[in-house]
Amino acid sequence: MLAMTDKSADTLLQNFRNKVTRNMVWAGAVTLLALTVTQLWLAHYLQAAVMFTSGIVFAAIAYTFRAQRIPNYWRLLFMVLLTAICAMSIKQNGVIGVYWAYPLLVSSFFMFRDGYAIALATTITVATSAAAIAFMELDDAWRITASLTVILVLGSVFVVMLGRMQRLLHQLVITDTLTGLQNRQRLTGVLNELLASFKRYNRSASLLMLDLDHFKLLNDKHGHLFGDQMLKQLANRLKQRLRVNDQLFRVGGEEFLVVLPETDLAEAKKVAQKLLSTVSDEPFEGKDAQVHLTVSIGVAQLRLEQSWAEWINSADTALLEAKRKGRNQVCVAEGYTEI
């Protein structure tokens, strides 16, 4: 009944960010190694040595973390070395050396996020401007400082706006638009965290798979808009009866999943019975009619040998059994015992 992908939206977004960062480090390595030849030809041996060493370091970082996130301290080292090389270039080449400051400044906004990116970009702007003032004519130095400051301000605005947009898009991706509940995009990460906690600390956890009974008949009789009203009311009722740490997801048309951290099978059954009564005891008020609704619930406690997919399947199977037995009841996954 419930199909899910192995990768959540969070994971896909993080993988994309990691790939961008890694490619930037690779690009830095290739560029510096190529420029080493130019510096040797110009007899700038110290700068050539620094560029060559930095290029090798960058290549090693990119290769070492080719399949994972580059830690922040290596990213910071990447930016510090590039800033130092830029300052050396300004000292050695004057205005020509300043050209490297602009892509360096822009890179800082991609290497880090939000306030960290702005802080790093500010540091680069100050360091580069100081080098320009120290090694160049004042008329040129203040123009360079002004242009870098403009880029810093515009980049900071971009970072702030992009951060807000990403958070908004992330919220839209993981939220069901009808009920306001979390959707299946967020579920994978939550279940994996519970699996890790169970394996490491032996903290129990349970799932409730819940399905609204005869929902198709409800839609056929009253219309889909009426059905949507009932789903929203159902979501609100369920949320009101759940505990603070419990999490509620809408994972299908009329199907919901309740995640119960640190909850064994006996306690999970009690929660399921409360939810069953919450739905059936009071009628639901629609715009044009009042209806009585019921739900069927499958309960499954996490077992050591299970993956999250097998855990969900256990709860799903129990739900099917509850429906087979006549609906409006709770069934426990087969093979579980209350302890």
Side-chain angles (χ1 to χ4, degrees):
M1 295 176 68
L2 175 62
M4 292 178 58
T5 59
D6 290 334
K7 292 186 177 180
S8 67
D10 289 341
T11 301
L12 293 172
L13 180 59
Q14 187 59 54
N15 288 343
F16 174 75
R17 288 172 177 157
N18 294 341
K19 185 176 181 179
V20 170
T21 302
R22 194 162 47 247
N23 287 342
M24 288 178 64
V25 177
W26 274 121
V30 173
T31 301
L32 288 181
L33 291 175
L35 288 175
T36 298
V37 177
T38 303
Q39 296 303 316
L40 288 174
W41 181 70
L42 294 173
H44 297 161
Y45 299 115
L46 177 59
Q47 195 161 345
V50 173
M51 285 185 172
F52 178 78
T53 303
S54 299
I56 294 298
V57 170
F58 294 168
I61 292 172
Y63 180 78
T64 301
F65 298 100
R66 61 191 179 279
Q68 55 186 302
R69 180 181 180 275
I70 299 177
N72 285 340
Y73 54 84
W74 287 118
R75 299 185 189 201
L76 184 59
L77 177 63
F78 173 76
M79 299 305 297
V80 168
L81 288 176
L82 287 181
T83 303
I85 291 171
C86 183
M88 291 178 62
S89 182
I90 292 173
K91 179 181 179 181
Q92 189 74 38
N93 303 310
V95 175
I96 296 176
V98 176
Y99 295 156
W100 296 106
Y102 297 99
L104 173 61
L105 183 57
V106 172
S107 297
S108 64
F109 294 115
F110 291 92
M111 192 60 62
F112 291 91
R113 298 175 59 190
D114 301 329
Y116 295 103
I118 295 173
L120 178 61
T122 301
T123 302
I124 292 172
T125 299
V126 171
T128 306
S129 298
I133 293 171
F135 304 122
M136 296 173 57
E137 294 292 334
L138 186 59
D139 285 346
D140 293 330
W142 79 259
R143 289 185 176 90
I144 291 167
T145 300
S147 62
L148 290 173
T149 302
V150 169
I151 295 175
L152 171 63
V153 172
L154 294 177
S156 298
V157 172
F158 168 78
V159 165
V160 171
M161 296 301 297
L162 182 61
R164 291 178 180 176
M165 290 178 61
Q166 286 180 335
R167 286 188 287 272
L168 176 60
L169 289 173
H170 178 263
Q171 192 63 32
L172 291 173
V173 167
I174 67 172
T175 302
D176 174 59
T177 55
L178 176 65
T179 62
L181 300 178
Q182 298 180 90
N183 61 23
R184 65 178 64 185
Q185 294 289 350
R186 179 76 179 92
L187 182 58
T188 306
V190 172
L191 296 183
N192 280 330
E193 289 174 5
L194 290 176
L195 259 68
S197 180
F198 179 60
K199 291 178 181 178
R200 185 170 182 179
Y201 304 109
N202 198 31
R203 292 175 178 167
S204 58
S206 297
L207 294 179
L208 307 181
M209 187 70 77
L210 182 151
D211 191 86
L212 189 59
D213 295 329
H214 303 299
F215 185 64
K216 185 178 184 301
L217 295 178
L218 183 72
N219 278 335
D220 291 343
K221 182 177 180 180
H222 298 284
H224 289 281
L225 291 179
F226 185 90
D228 287 346
Q229 292 176 3
M230 297 302 101
L231 289 174
K232 288 193 287 186
Q233 290 185 38
L234 175 61
N236 289 332
R237 284 197 190 187
L238 296 176
K239 283 192 295 185
Q240 291 173 4
R241 293 305 302 269
L242 291 175
R243 301 163 301 183
V244 174
N245 293 329
D246 299 336
Q247 296 194 56
L248 177 61
F249 299 81
R250 184 187 179 199
V251 294
E254 68 274 23
E255 195 169 45
F256 298 81
L257 184 70
V258 182
V259 179
L260 306 174
E262 301 189 18
T263 305
D264 61 19
L265 187 64
E267 186 63 26
K269 285 185 64 178
K270 293 179 182 179
V271 175
Q273 291 292 350
K274 289 180 181 179
L275 296 181
L276 200 75
S277 299
T278 296
V279 176
S280 61
D281 287 353
E282 298 290 337
F284 286 70
E285 299 288 344
K287 183 177 181 181
D288 303 315
Q290 183 185 81
V291 295
H292 288 268
L293 302 178
T294 62
V295 293
S296 301
I297 304 176
V299 185
Q301 182 179 342
L302 177 60
R303 292 194 266 193
L304 183 61
E305 72 276 7
Q306 287 181 319
S307 64
W308 61 260
E310 292 168 335
W311 187 18
I312 288 179
N313 187 62
S314 296
D316 212 14
T317 302
L319 170 62
L320 292 173
E321 181 66 12
K323 285 185 170 293
R324 189 188 67 80
K325 289 183 176 181
R327 297 179 169 84
N328 191 27
Q329 59 185 283
V330 175
C331 279
V332 175
E334 188 175 338
Y336 284 76
T337 56
E338 298 184 25
I339 55 175

